[in-house]
Amino acid sequence: MLIVQKYGGTSVGNIDRIRAVAERVVKRREERHGIVIVVSAMAGETDRFIDIAGELTGKPNERDMDMLLSSGEIVSASLLSIAINSMGYNAIALTGMQAGIITNTSHTKAKIEDIRAGRVKEAVDSGYIPVIAGFQGITEDFSDITTLGRGGSDLTAVAIASFLKADICEIYTDVDGVYTTDPGIVDKARKLEKISYDEMLELASLGAKVLQARSVEFAKKYEVPIVVRSSFNYSPGTLVVKEDSDMEKVVVSGVACDKNQAKITIRDVPDRPGIAAGLFQSVASNNIVVDMIVQNISSDGKFTDISFTVPKTDAKSALNITKQITGELGAGEATVLEDIAKISIVGVGMRTHSGVAAKMFKTLSDNSINIMMISTSEIKISCIISLKYTELAVRVLHDIFELEKE
Ligand code: ASP
Ligand code: MG
């Protein structure tokens, strides 16, 4: 078997952890598997670098930031390689560039354009264990170091696994796998044995922090099988794979919540073509990502209300932009509400089962939780509710859909 293993920040968080990971790797090697390692920076390092740069200036140069941040992964890759080598096995530490991760030039959120991991393959073929610095790449002309966005080591691992056609990409973290919901909120939350890429994608973008969303997209596209598991024990983890017919039998696989959103509402917006286009163009040109949008039918054919959600960190600037536009359009007041949460249920079974939304809404209403906004996809229903009901909503939905049961 050829196995790509990615170890996250807490897994390599200190010297003892690095030693423990090295032992784990060597043990696997003893079973005669080909092994490629990808690592994150030691826990907290990336944030520490960001804070230090922030003390120098409010707006650090992005190229410089990429150079700075990429150093964290270089440190952990080197140390892990040193540890493995010291145990009498052959390891070779590689930067993102040396591993052939070629990206575009979008600093701090670069996209992978090509994978030229010939050197990684040669190393494996000659019995070495490559230890690759995750989260980083190099531009096509080899002139600039880039990073792949927060949590990007997952993407490095999946990309390398797809290039090598690895049998499995193991993502090691500090939790046992993917749960039906946050076990910190519902103690009956159950670890899932298996989940589809699409479900994982929804859960990842909804704030389940086990896998970076872009790595799941990549894995889906190239059908890289992933297993999420803990580096602190030998529990089997959760498989993230292509959908199979079994999965459809389960209507809801998980409940997620996201407390990082804010809702902006504009009243009395003139109801004519081009208004929404103008508003959202301005928001987008300020690099603010809009999630949900609701526009009401106007009762008099002249005015309507529009609400949309943005990440909490962008709420102030989104409100300012909106106020400017409402002024120009002759619309009414724009207000922001920060005390909200997005609560979602996810499951591929929704494609083939009816009544799921009704059940969700009824359950919320039975618990006197008001729904402010609703959005749906084929396999997801999300509601915006008041922040203070987040935990209650997660619990009652987990109960009603019987997620604690196999
Ligand atoms: N060290 C980077 C981060 O903290 C990348 C990663 O951990 O995957 O976002
Ligand atoms: Mg991570």
Side-chain angles (χ1 to χ4, degrees), residues 170-184 189-195 200 203 207-211 226-240 253:
E170 301 177 340
I171 305 280
Y172 285 94
T173 172
D174 51 7
V175 294
D176 286 353
V178 182
Y179 280 75
T180 50
T181 195
D182 182 350
R190 181 171 55 84
K191 189 181 76 185
L192 295 161
E193 212 177 291
K194 204 159 72 164
I195 187 170
M200 191 63 237
L203 291 173
K209 288 169 212 76
V210 284
L211 275 178
I226 295 179
V227 61
V228 179
R229 51 189 297 194
S230 169
S231 70
F232 293 77
N233 59 45
Y234 282 88
S235 145
T238 302
L239 262 175
V240 186
S253 314

Side-chain angles (χ1 to χ4, degrees), residues 6 8-9 40 151-154 209-210 212:
K6 179 257 170 176
S40 287
S153 301
D154 293 344
K209 288 169 212 76
V210 284
Q212 187 216 29

Side-chain angles (χ1 to χ4, degrees), residues 259-323:
K259 298 179 174 178
N260 274 317
Q261 301 226 344
K263 176 169 83 88
I264 294 188
T265 301
I266 318 163
R267 301 217 182 281
D268 301 327
V269 184
D271 194 11
R272 55 166 199 265
I275 299 286
L279 170 63
F280 290 106
Q281 237 155 32
S282 312
V283 175
S285 63
N286 284 278
N287 279 322
I288 297 172
V289 180
V290 174
D291 182 23
M292 287 194 201
I293 300 174
V294 171
Q295 178 184 317
N296 286 341
I297 300 173
S298 57
S299 47
D300 55 5
K302 290 191 193 112
F303 295 100
T304 170
D305 296 343
I306 297 180
S307 290
F308 60 97
T309 63
V310 295
K312 233 172 222 160
T313 44
D314 293 330
K316 294 250 157 27
S317 50
L319 182 65
N320 286 337
I321 296 160
T322 309
K323 282 200 160 141

Side-chain angles (χ1 to χ4, degrees), residues 379-397:
I379 64 162
K380 178 194 74 174
I381 304 167
S382 301
C383 295
I384 296 288
I385 60 167
S386 173
L387 182 67
K388 61 176 187 267
Y389 296 127
T390 313
E391 280 77 16
L392 173 64
V394 170
R395 270 195 294 272
V396 295
L397 291 172

Side-chain angles (χ1 to χ4, degrees), residues 1 7 120 156 192 246 358:
M1 279 233 298
Y7 291 94
V120 176
T156 305
L192 295 161
D246 261 9

Side-chain angles (χ1 to χ4, degrees), residues 99-143:
I101 303 293
I102 311 295
T103 74
N104 66 9
T105 56
S106 301
H107 283 292
T108 76
K109 46 182 176 304
K111 291 221 158 62
I112 295 180
E113 305 239 290
D114 200 8
I115 306 156
R116 299 178 198 153
R119 183 155 181 202
V120 176
K121 185 163 188 320
E122 275 163 33
V124 176
D125 290 344
S126 48
Y128 276 77
I129 302 169
V131 185
I132 302 168
F135 174 56
Q136 55 183 268
I138 190 89
T139 52
E140 167 85 50
D141 58 2
F142 278 67
S143 56

